[in-house]
Amino acid sequence: MRHLFLKPLLQLNLIRRSSTFVKIVEVGPRDGLQNEASVVPTATKIKLINDLSECNLPVIEATSFVSPKWVPQMADHSEVMAGITRHDNITYTVLTPNMKGFDKAISVKADEVAVFGAASEAFSRKNINCSIDDSLKRFEPVLAAAKEKNIPVRGYVSCVCGCPYQGHVSTADVIRVTEKLVEMGCYEVSLGDTIGVGTSHAMRNLISDLIKVVPVSSLAVHCHDTFGQALANIVTALELGVRTVDSSIAGLGGCPYAKGASGNVATEDVVYMLDGNGMETNVDLERLVKVGEFISDYLGRPNMSKAGLAMLSKM
């Protein structure tokens, strides 16, 4: 039997042993690149992941096993997974919305898989054409198969602070979906502020209510920086005991539902902030900054990391 739960469990044990350790989940290769208009060559994706691996990031979300019809950018998922140079101390996770994606992910030896739900009924219906409850039912066979094969599953909940279609999203709905994902077998659930409208006040209220029903150790935050609130929201989550943060190299990504959205919070900015506040990440920040500059130059887009740009000016 494969013991793939070992990597996430070792990381979780480190978090529990040290209240200052924060696990960074690098989502740039998947969540960041999937929004690029031009298809990024497979070789470039592989180089990006390999370069990120050299930065000692504990988790890298490498690709998504969704239909190329819906996300053409991720059509080379199998080739990417086959081409990367893996590090024993790094978890390479992939998005698998259904059994077809799960089976493909297992065939290329993904360390971990992730399922993606929403706290907004309108968002769920607009994006995957089904209700929240139906979407959760679709995940059941994936989680059952993952349990049988000893594959850890991570859950995502989008629109936890607001929805581009319905606006307000109730805390009760976020709690219901998060609790259900944990009950179904997700060892960790990432709370996504999909359009970046959340504030530290909203984040504090949400997490304070959530940790009454699910362990804080099972929560992560995934903050977009549309309104410049991401770092403040992350600090708030850390104050409440969350120790896993999603981020994207050079702030790759964006939200198609909010004009001018600057996308995911930059990994360089998160690591710089954590280092400066005495938190542990074990991430090589200087190397990370150079990776951010590489992918920004390749894509021909501005580097969205303020810390990265400041450090590059001194290199």
Side-chain angles (χ1 to χ4, degrees):
M1 180 179 289
R2 301 170 71 198
H3 296 285
L4 292 182
F5 262 117
L6 187 59
K7 289 183 180 180
L9 285 177
L10 287 174
Q11 292 161 356
L12 185 58
N13 286 336
L14 178 56
I15 292 171
R16 287 171 174 167
R17 287 199 304 271
S18 172
S19 62
T20 62
F21 180 79
V22 178
K23 181 178 75 174
I24 302 294
V25 178
E26 172 57 55
V27 302
R30 196 281 298 177
D31 195 28
L33 292 183
Q34 73 175 8
N35 288 316
E36 290 297 317
S38 300
V39 174
V40 179
T42 302
T44 303
K45 294 175 184 175
I46 291 172
K47 175 175 169 50
L48 173 62
I49 295 170
N50 286 345
D51 287 352
L52 289 168
S53 294
E54 293 295 330
C55 300
N56 203 35
L57 288 151
V59 183
I60 299 175
E61 189 179 60
T63 186
S64 176
F65 284 79
V66 297
S67 170
K69 175 183 178 182
W70 302 114
V71 188
Q73 188 68 258
M74 299 287 112
D76 58 353
H77 39 226
S78 295
E79 291 81 2
V80 168
M81 290 300 289
I84 61 175
T85 300
R86 304 192 189 207
H87 292 213
D88 290 340
N89 62 329
I90 297 175
T91 296
Y92 298 91
T93 184
V94 301
L95 195 66
T96 55
N98 51 42
M99 279 304 301
K100 185 176 181 180
F102 177 81
D103 288 339
K104 287 184 177 180
I106 297 309
S107 71
V108 293
K109 298 180 172 56
D111 293 325
E112 175 183 301
V113 300
V115 294
F116 201 109
S120 159
E121 195 68 50
F123 190 89
S124 183
R125 292 185 181 278
K126 285 277 189 179
N127 283 269
I128 54 178
N129 198 32
C130 70
S131 67
I132 292 173
D133 288 340
D134 286 343
S135 71
L136 292 172
K137 288 178 182 177
R138 291 181 182 181
F139 299 148
E140 288 178 354
V142 174
L143 280 138
K147 182 178 181 180
E148 182 180 343
K149 294 180 181 295
N150 204 29
I151 306 294
V153 182
R154 189 177 203 243
Y156 282 99
V157 182
S158 59
C159 299
V160 300
C161 293
C163 171
Y165 303 115
Q166 73 180 47
H168 174 71
V169 174
S170 73
T171 296
D173 286 338
V174 179
I175 291 175
R176 182 173 72 88
V177 177
T178 303
E179 191 172 19
K180 181 62 176 177
L181 287 171
V182 172
E183 289 175 356
M184 291 171 68
C186 291
Y187 81 93
E188 184 173 272
V189 177
S190 180
L191 307 171
D193 183 10
T194 308
I195 53 174
V197 295
T199 61
S200 57
H201 176 74
M203 185 65 72
R204 183 174 299 279
N205 289 341
L206 174 63
I207 294 177
S208 294
D209 287 339
L210 264 170
I211 59 179
K212 295 174 184 176
V213 294
V214 297
V216 70
S217 59
S218 67
L219 297 177
V221 287
H222 182 116
C223 300
H224 283 234
D225 204 32
T226 312
F227 289 88
Q229 302 299 298
L231 290 179
N233 291 342
I234 290 168
V235 168
T236 298
L238 293 171
E239 289 174 347
L240 292 169
V242 174
R243 288 295 181 269
T244 302
V245 176
D246 297 1
S247 58
S248 179
I249 186 71
L252 289 180
C255 180
Y257 314 110
K259 187 176 181 180
S262 54
N264 290 295
V265 65
T267 306
E268 302 94 311
D269 294 354
V270 173
V271 173
Y272 178 85
M273 178 191 73
L274 292 171
D275 286 352
N277 282 284
M279 306 297 281
E280 302 170 61
T281 64
N282 297 334
V283 176
D284 186 333
L285 180 56
E286 287 196 6
R287 186 170 293 205
L288 191 69
V289 165
K290 293 175 182 176
V291 178
E293 185 67 359
F294 151 70
I295 193 61
S296 297
D297 284 348
Y298 179 84
L299 296 173
R301 52 163 287 170
N303 185 335
M304 300 304 292
S305 169
K306 290 183 174 61
L309 292 174
M311 290 180 66
L312 284 165
S313 71
K314 299 178 181 180
M315 289 183 179

